[in-house]
Amino acid sequence: EVTEDADGKPISVSFKGEQVPVNCVTHQFRKGHDDPPEYLERDLCFVPHHGPLFETEDGAGETYWYSVRWTGMDPSREIDAFRAYQTARSVDDQLKAIELVGTGAQNMLFASVEGDIAYSSHADIPIRGGDLYAHPPWMVLPGTGDYEWEGYVPAADMPRLKNPPQGFIVTANNYV
């Protein structure tokens, strides 16, 4: 729920029964390569605890506002993970390194010269509050505060496999 000023610019959102101010910044974007240059101005607004705020219309003139929160907007350590992959001496080192990945879960397969094999997938997967059967986390969720992130799935609970009895690992990119 967005409160707008007289010009239709968002000024706050309703969150947990309170009004939270929205941060807006006007940006200029150069259009094309004409000389003299022509610029387009656009207000970019952010909900402090969620991220970018944007609006859309449903075709019948009804306006809807969305705020997008993504783990990729938080600081993460992918570079450290890739450095650790390069210096790993065992699949255990590689399994430890993948825990540094915060965004962009990948199915990673590891092998060592000693014959060990391993699989893991890791990323920061939010644990959400609210009724996730009524509102699955991959759908648009109400921004009222009932579905906020309450932490992340612990690394120990992420998919992982090392030296399975069958001697091989098969994986595919599916919802883990």
Side-chain angles (χ1 to χ4, degrees):
E1 298 174 16
V2 174
T3 304
E4 301 173 11
D5 65 13
D7 296 324
K9 183 176 173 181
I11 55 174
S12 67
V13 296
S14 177
F15 181 71
K16 295 185 178 183
E18 307 261 333
Q19 290 297 311
V20 176
V22 171
N23 301 321
C24 293
V25 178
T26 301
H27 286 275
Q28 282 190 342
F29 299 93
R30 184 176 176 156
K31 292 172 59 176
H33 299 285
D34 295 336
D35 195 18
E38 186 179 349
Y39 293 94
L40 170 70
E41 283 194 355
R42 177 85 172 143
D43 286 333
L44 300 177
C45 299
F46 299 85
V47 177
H49 58 278
H50 275 172
L53 181 66
F54 59 94
E55 65 180 317
T56 186
E57 288 189 21
D58 64 2
E62 188 72 28
T63 298
Y64 294 92
W65 290 94
Y66 296 92
S67 178
V68 179
R69 185 169 184 198
W70 173 47
T71 57
M73 294 187 295
D74 294 338
S76 60
R77 300 183 58 198
E78 281 74 19
I79 296 296
D80 294 333
F82 286 107
R83 283 185 183 148
Y85 294 152
Q86 292 175 336
T87 59
R89 297 285 184 221
S90 68
V91 295
D92 290 323
D93 290 348
Q94 292 172 319
L95 288 169
K96 185 172 173 71
I98 198 170
E99 292 181 13
L100 299 172
V101 174
T103 303
Q106 299 290 316
N107 287 328
M108 300 291 283
L109 295 166
F110 306 112
S112 72
V113 294
E114 287 82 23
D116 292 317
I117 59 173
Y119 155 80
S120 186
S121 182
H122 195 277
D124 291 335
I125 309 289
I127 298 171
R128 297 179 186 271
D131 181 355
L132 297 179
Y133 290 102
H135 296 284
W138 54 87
M139 302 295 288
V140 175
L141 299 173
T144 57
D146 296 333
Y147 294 88
E148 292 308 299
W149 298 358
E150 298 174 349
Y152 298 97
V153 173
D157 293 342
M158 297 298 288
R160 179 175 284 214
L161 183 64
K162 180 182 172 189
N163 293 332
Q166 71 270 23
F168 63 89
I169 298 171
V170 178
T171 182
N173 286 327
N174 61 341
Y175 188 67
V176 297

